[in-house]
Structures are given as C-alpha cells and as structure tokens.
Amino acid sequence: MRITGWSRATAAEAAPLAALFRRIEAVAPVGLEQRAEDVRNRLATLGPDNAGRTRVGRDDTDTVAAYGEVADMGTADDVLRIRLTSAFHPEVADDVRSELHHWLIDQARQLRDDRGSVKAVLGTRCAENDRAGRERLISDGFAVVRHQRDLVLAVPDSPPAPVLPPGLVLTPVDERYDELARLAHNEAYADSSAALRPDRRTWPQHATAHPGFLPDLSCLLLAETQPSDNPVAAFLFALTDGSTDTPTALLHCLGTRAPWRRGGLATAMISHVLHQAHSAGIRQLRLEVTDSNHQALALYRKLGFVESGRGFAVLMRQLTPEADEQP
Ligand SMILES: CC(C)(COP(=O)(O)OP(=O)(O)OC[C@H]1O[C@@H](n2cnc3c(N)ncnc32)[C@H](O)[C@@H]1OP(=O)(O)O)[C@@H](O)C(=O)NCCC(=O)NCCS
C-alpha cells in the first residue's frame, strides 16, 4: 500500500485515525486509542505548538493509512524526553515506514532545538510481535529498554471497603494540592528510570488538565502528621480509557512516597477507585506497568489484576548533537 499525500493531524481526522488504530491494535498492539474521542484528546494534549509535529498519510482511496507524531514529554535531569509514535495500516510498504521514521527524527531534532535543550532522549513503542519494526529501530540506534505489561481488573459487584491506616485522609484531587501532588509524584517515581517526572510546565497535561482526567476516580492520601513538609503521602490519577469496548478507567499514575510504603495506601486507593468505578458504571480498570517494577507487579497481582495480552516493548535512543553528526 502506498501513501499518496501527507497532512497535519487535526481533530477532523480523529474518527479515521481511531479506525486505523483499531485495525493496528487487532494485530500488533501498542496501546493506541480506539475511540475518536480519545484520539481527539490525544491530539489536544500535544498542545498548539506541537500540533505541527503530526503527520497523517492517506492512500489513493483517500483512506487514512499512516500516522506519525512527535510529543514533548517534559524535561527531567536536564534531558528532554520525546515520544515518537508511528502507526501504519498493516499493508503499508516498508519504504513509507522508513520515510516517516526519518521525518519523526527530524521533527524531534527541531523540537529539541526549539526547547533549547542539548540532550534529548527519544522513546517509542513497538508491538511484541512486530519483529521487522523492532529491527528497523535497532538498526537506527534504538535499544529495547523495557517491556510494558498491560493489566486489567474487572470491577466487582461489591468492591472491598478501603482501609486507611490511622492519620491519613483520602481526598479528591484538589487544586490546592496541585504542586504538592506533583512533588509527591516525582519523589515516588524517583527511582524509576522509565517514569516521566513532569516539570511545572508539563504537569497539568499529565494530571488534572489531561482531557481524559477522571476527577471522581482520582484521589490523594494526605497525612495529618508528617515526616516532611509535603502532606501528600500517596496519589492516584485515573483517565478515561477507550481502548476496549468494556467501559474502562485507566490508572494513569499511582504511587506512595517512601516513608508510607507497605502501609496499605496503594491498596486503599485502588479499593476507593473500585467503589467509584462501580457507582459510575465502569466495568474494568486497566494499567500499564514495566516488567521490572516488581513491587508494583506484586501489588497488582495481589489485587487480582491479570494480563490483557496487549503488552509492548519500549525502545529508546539518545538525541544529542554528537549523535546527529554520526552518519
Ligand atoms: C508500588 C507502590 C505504589 C506500592 O504502594 P504501597 O502503598 O507501598 O502498597 P501497599 O502497601 O498497598 O502494598 C500492597 C501489597 O503490594 C505488594 N507490595 C507492595 N510493595 C512491595 C514491595 N516493595 N515488595 C514486594 N511486594 C510489595 C505486597 O503484596 C503488599 O502487601 P503486603 O504488604 O501485605 O505484603 C509503591 O511502591 C510506589 O509508589 N512505587 C513507585 C511508583 C510506582 O512504581 N508506581 C506504580 C506504577 S505502575
């Protein structure tokens, strides 16, 4: 299959892109959105200055058959993180895939330069069964850094009541705690090289300003007496998830700061989410977890989460000026 024209993605393409993503997810899953509404949200989270870093390819029947996107995922430790997405109808020819890949790398360089960053790291997803795609990335300097598991839990008819240790209060995500929640988030994820640690600029789109944000299913646990200045002991942010036909909420990020770990806080927050989900008619919780995150995997296994079969590999590559100069 050939691509006869490329254009920038707009909200008007959300429905045909969702159709393309459904087709791809059926054969080589990487966690792409399946509903037009979620694709629209995805495009909205790129922000106006990144909208130009998208590309929609159409075949000779004017059907959307390819998509490319470069997204700014924030800066951590002076390194700009850039997510590359390329999605193709299964019959799209190899040279089209290579052409889009090179376009994405060029756009990523421009994004790095626009942000005034010297160092950037590129990350992209590849379906576990997409050997050719993985080889293509590896030959361009990418390396597999982790495998993401995709886990689901059916919402029971009578979810267990949340049990909170004394001295902790469960509260909805409140704008008064926005910056403290960000700091708690980044502290909880400090040891996890794979996790995003948003700065002030990118935090809103990661959390409450994310178009899929579900306030009723998100929560903070506040400590009444604290071993630190920040009362946010634990946090959970949930998003709408249109990746399956079952009404589903995505546990987007959740964590407990180190002093409070193994006290049942994550368990309590997930019990709370199950209650809220049940009342809202949501039938399933879903999340992605790195296969090296043994404590989180132990938590989810204990709570009954199971593999959905939609896990994928994550590959990364440095994007430094020195790397640019290499042939
Ligand atoms: C994973 C994490 C959220 C767990 O939070 P928590 O509040 O300590 O979890 P809980 O106390 O509710 O633990 C419940 C169960 O999970 C398992 N578990 C949690 N931490 C564990 C650890 N370090 N080692 C082994 N099992 C662990 C245990 O089965 C535990 O039950 P037990 O204490 O009765 O044995 C926390 O370690 C964390 O914030 N990690 C960094 C951020 C992160 O990885 N988030 C998840 C991203 S997908």
Side-chain angles (χ1 to χ4, degrees):
M1 180 186 280
R2 311 299 313 171
I3 298 296
T4 52
W6 294 98
S7 59
R8 172 188 292 205
T10 65
E13 264 104 17
L17 279 173
L20 171 67
F21 291 176
R22 282 196 296 276
R23 178 94 198 235
I24 295 168
E25 288 293 305
V27 292
V30 285
L32 292 166
E33 295 78 0
Q34 316 271 286
R35 292 187 312 198
E37 180 192 340
D38 298 308
V39 174
R40 216 169 285 120
N41 285 345
R42 177 189 184 110
L43 297 175
T45 54
L46 295 175
D49 61 333
N50 275 336
R53 302 185 209 275
T54 58
R55 222 180 180 205
V56 174
R58 294 175 180 272
D59 68 6
D60 52 8
T61 64
D62 209 31
T63 302
V64 169
Y67 175 67
E69 174 197 290
V70 171
D72 175 349
M73 305 305 283
T75 303
D77 307 324
D78 292 327
V79 180
L80 175 67
R81 293 174 177 224
I82 300 176
R83 184 187 68 198
L84 307 185
T85 303
S86 48
F88 301 97
H89 183 285
E91 285 159 26
V92 162
D94 278 356
D95 57 335
V96 176
R97 293 170 191 256
S98 297
E99 184 204 328
L100 182 62
H101 179 74
H102 289 118
W103 183 84
L104 291 172
I105 302 280
D106 275 352
Q107 291 295 314
R109 282 198 188 103
Q110 284 179 28
L111 175 62
R112 178 198 64 197
D113 297 345
D114 289 353
R115 294 278 182 267
S117 304
V118 177
K119 288 188 194 159
V121 63
L122 305 177
T124 193
R125 297 175 173 191
C126 186
E128 297 288 3
N129 60 4
D130 181 8
R131 277 209 197 140
R134 190 162 53 235
E135 291 313 317
R136 199 174 304 115
L137 287 164
I138 288 171
S139 69
D140 189 42
F142 281 81
V144 176
V145 291
R146 63 180 188 273
H147 297 272
Q148 285 296 95
R149 298 207 187 168
D150 189 272
L151 306 182
V152 287
L153 175 67
V155 174
D157 285 335
S158 319
V163 180
L164 278 182
L168 284 150
V169 181
L170 191 145
T171 168
V173 174
D174 183 320
E175 63 183 22
R176 281 174 304 166
Y177 295 106
D178 201 39
E179 177 58 7
L180 293 170
R182 183 183 78 84
L183 294 171
H185 172 282
N186 290 357
E187 189 181 316
Y189 281 104
D191 295 333
S192 130
S193 58
L196 286 175
R197 287 189 289 284
D199 51 27
R200 277 172 182 260
R201 183 177 59 83
T202 51
W203 172 247
Q205 77 193 47
H206 188 76
T208 52
H210 191 292
F213 177 59
L214 289 173
D216 293 343
L217 272 77
S218 302
C219 62
L220 302 176
L221 287 182
L222 302 180
E224 289 170 326
T225 53
Q226 320 137 32
S228 80
D229 292 341
N230 186 351
V232 178
F235 56 86
L236 188 157
F237 289 84
L239 304 178
T240 51
D241 179 7
S243 65
T244 77
D245 291 335
T246 309
T248 299
L250 176 73
L251 304 190
H252 175 50
C253 58
L254 92 117
T256 302
R257 286 169 64 213
W260 287 277
R261 285 194 186 156
R262 296 307 282 271
L265 275 63
T267 305
M269 292 191 296
I270 293 174
S271 301
H272 169 75
V273 171
L274 287 171
H275 270 276
Q276 298 292 97
H278 187 256
S279 315
I282 291 170
R283 308 292 297 279
Q284 179 175 261
L285 304 186
R286 187 174 82 82
L287 57 86
E288 287 169 11
V289 56
T290 303
D291 63 354
S292 58
N293 191 344
H294 302 295
Q295 62 255 48
L297 281 167
L299 164 74
Y300 300 138
R301 224 173 273 131
K302 187 173 179 186
L303 296 177
F305 281 83
V306 293
E307 302 261 355
S308 71
R310 292 177 51 201
F312 51 86
V314 175
L315 293 95
M316 287 190 164
R317 193 196 114 168
Q318 302 289 333
L319 189 69
T320 56
E322 299 82 59
D324 289 358
E325 281 158 23
Q326 282 170 19

